[in-house]
Amino acid sequence: MEIRIDNLTKKFGEVVGVEDLTLHIDDGEFVAFLGPSGCGKTTTLLTLAGIYKPTEGLIRFGERIVNQVQPKDRNIGMVFQSYALYPHMTVFQNIAYPLKLKKTPKNLQNESVRQVAGVMGIGDLLDRRPGQLSGGQQQRVALGRALVKEPDVLLFDEPLSNLDARLRLTMRGEIKHLQKNLGITSIYVTHDQVEAMTMADRIAVMSGGRLQAFDTPEELYDRPKTQFVAGFVGNPPMNFIDVNVSQSDGAYTAKTGSIRMTVPAARGAPAAEHAGAVVMGLRPEDIAIASEGEVAGEIFVVEPLGREDLIDVRVGEHSFILLANTESRHRAGERVALQFDMSQVQFFDPQSERSLLWRQ
Amino acid sequence: MARAELFASSKVKTDEIQPTLQEDFVEALKLAGISIVVLLVAAFFFSAVVGPFFALGSVEETVTDVLTRLALLILPYVAYISAASVARRYTFRATSRALGLAFSCAILIYALISAGHYLLDYGVFAPRPSLQMTLSQTDAGIRIDEVAPGGAAETAGMLPGDVITAIRRDPVDLAAFNKRLGQSELDAPLRLRFLRDGEEMQETARVVLVSDKELGVLLPGLAIVLVFTAIIVFLPGHWAPYIALVGLLFPLLIGYFWVIVATFSYRTKGLVPLDGNDNFGGFTLKNWESIFAGNIAGLEFNIWPILMTSMAIAVLMTFVVLLVSSMAGYALSRMDFPGRRFFLSFTLILHGFPAITLLIPIFIVLLRMGETPIIGDLIGFNTVGGIAMVMVAFQLPLGVWLMKGFFDNIPWDMERSALIDGASRFRAYWEILLPQIRPGLLALGIFAFIGGWNAYIIPATYSIGTGLSNLPVFLNELIDETAPVDWNQVAAVGLFQLIPIFIFFIFAQEYLLNIYAGGTKGSS
């Protein structure tokens, strides 16, 4: 089912939940809504579900405008963060409830529930109550209940945030696999950019009720169109510093205080055209500690992550987050030199926070 | 290595911590001392601070006096308990040490308290009403053995050898005489009839207050104190709440016990059923028979319509209150509409409104409604429907608020999930939300049912002068119209009225336990 959202605005009294959102989702696509809490992503999801009615704008499922269609008539399935299982019903009754409401014959209900339970690996739990299940099992029941009526659209509202880290990893893979197999158009709300990056075909980054970017994970990572997207996508986040970019003899240089960095012409030219200071963005993996380099600094703190160390290096008043091999065994207080790989550098307009490299 | 040292040192420490008998003794006395001081301060506070404060405002009250005396009454027992609580830590490890410690403390405290009583003329040494003569019981009456020189009896002209037979015209034996004397106040005149040399005479003696300060009275007290201390030392700790509970409930349980005994006997004295000759016995079923026979002391009635009226009011009320409250509660919890806040605060005010003040206006409203065709037959004056409607109206504010609170506690996601699964709003309310608030529905249902079943003032008012009555109204008629009132009969009707409530609770209790054991678990 193709979903087209045009100029959607949702207000609660004076409070704006979502503002002027336009988004076209293709049939069978897996889209993630990514953003910090309060950015309007859940509001958008609930508007798509029909729980909220849009204040302005149009929502189309295929060719049908569903603005005023009741949730029960939209043929959607939804998985909630709290699972929202019905505690007074058994697992079987929980999964069968959507079918019961559709007045599906009993034998067909039975068949579908057992089939879905089999796929979800909860076939032996059908007589239990939700209270007797673990978090992961409840999650599977919730997913089974959303899938059993063969919905046109699947909605996920942070379904993995109540699970422990290990289970989250497993369920992430399972949900993605299931979605690809069934080919159901899915929308997945999350504030965890790793989940969004790993699972989604395209990510809609939202902030303050507005859509910041809507693109594939690779595009968002390599060619962020706003500073917000650049900072939100990627872990650890991108380093930002204010610099002045100037050109002399065809070579572009970014300067701030004592720091001087040579910028490739392709990226330096648009930045140099901008009058005054610009915001330069560098990802942690593009900075390395070297025995000698362009910039000297002091290690402020070392956070071991296991596979690598997260190191905060202070250069004057600036701070650079970077990742280093654990074997190098750096210590806080150590004086080091930094080497920058400027081929992936980003530049943003400090006023509009838009990218100077990638115009929309 | 460091760990081992740590453990080693801690072990040594626990050995060292074992206090000596002397330290325990001091600790126990210190605790007892603290509790004595606290209670003395409390007694002083009530009698010398709060009491005069009330007196300033010319408030007549006995509360401060009662509290003062209560503090002084429990003072010794609290002291024994505090001292014995120190000994309890040895109860099952070193019994002799525990008892020795507790007993020695108890004896010391008893001695101190007794000395205090001796000096202050308080407690066992408090002055008692007396006529200052020694008496003994004989076949003829109470013989005077000795008369204290210059005492009250001698002043009245009593001589040793006189035999007292009566106070005024009431014949007395020694026990009755002492009881009468004990209740007399200072200077109260007692007119004694007595036989002197076979001749009947009478003299009036005036009561004096005497503190005899005989130390012999301390021995039984000491025995009680030691037994009490031993009980405290050996009492399993988890019994304490039950003992306190039974102690507090005792007067109530006695009341229930009387009701049950009374319904099965001709007459009772206290809790003892008696037959015609004042002997124990006289059990009967006649109180119950006459309920069903429909005749109590000449008052003719048929119990079944009365029972049905009660049942109809209670059931109707339960049903309507549950239905309206849960729907209104849902709307107030989940929907936003103009006037919602006003409605919420207004119902709260209504709940605090005294219903009695509305009796007369509602009476007139019901009378007028009774004149309307059809509606009047359903909910007009002198109909079960009318009574139930008024009672429902008074119960609704509480019910609506209660239900709103329960709905507020159900996560929104539960309801959204139901809507997305394909339920209509009503179906989500009925099939998903209502089962979540079963405990609340049950609690409100019980309130409503008991309220309707025991309703008196409203049924009595709105069925005045008619044959319609429910059990409480009937019970009142029984007291009003039968003379003399047969209280055993009244008790039987009262117990009869309780039967459905008992049955209701037996089933409801099981259901409640079920709900709490597994009903709404895992709703998070």
Side-chain angles (χ1 to χ4, degrees), chain B residues 320-330 396 399-400 403 407 444:
Chain B
V320 178
V321 163
L322 283 184
L323 189 77
V324 177
S325 301
S326 66
M327 288 181 133
Y330 172 83
L396 273 183
V400 169
M403 287 297 105
F407 279 116
L444 183 60

Side-chain angles (χ1 to χ4, degrees), chain A residues 46 49 51-52 71-72 76-78 80 82 84-89 97-98 100-101 131 145 149, chain B residues 413-414 416-424 427-428 431-432 435-436 438 519-524:
Chain A
L46 289 175
I51 301 291
Y52 297 152
K72 66 188 174 88
I76 46 181
M78 182 155 173
F80 292 86
S82 61
L85 298 177
Y86 312 128
H88 59 291
M89 298 182 179
Y97 191 63
K100 184 180 154 196
L101 292 171
R145 188 179 61 186
K149 62 176 177 180
Chain B
D413 279 357
M414 190 86 70
R416 289 169 180 162
S417 175
L419 292 178
I420 289 168
D421 280 349
S424 62
R427 231 173 146 175
E431 284 184 350
I432 303 300
Q436 315 294 321
R438 266 190 308 206
T520 50
K521 262 205 298 188
S523 57
S524 65

Side-chain angles (χ1 to χ4, degrees), chain B residues 122-135:
Chain B
Y122 193 82
V124 286
F125 297 121
R128 274 194 295 269
S130 166
L131 290 178
Q132 292 169 307
M133 56 187 176
T134 44
L135 303 166

Side-chain angles (χ1 to χ4, degrees), chain B residues 441-457:
Chain B
L441 290 174
L442 196 75
L444 183 60
I446 289 173
F447 277 141
F449 185 86
I450 292 177
W453 184 258
N454 290 337
Y456 170 70
I457 191 88

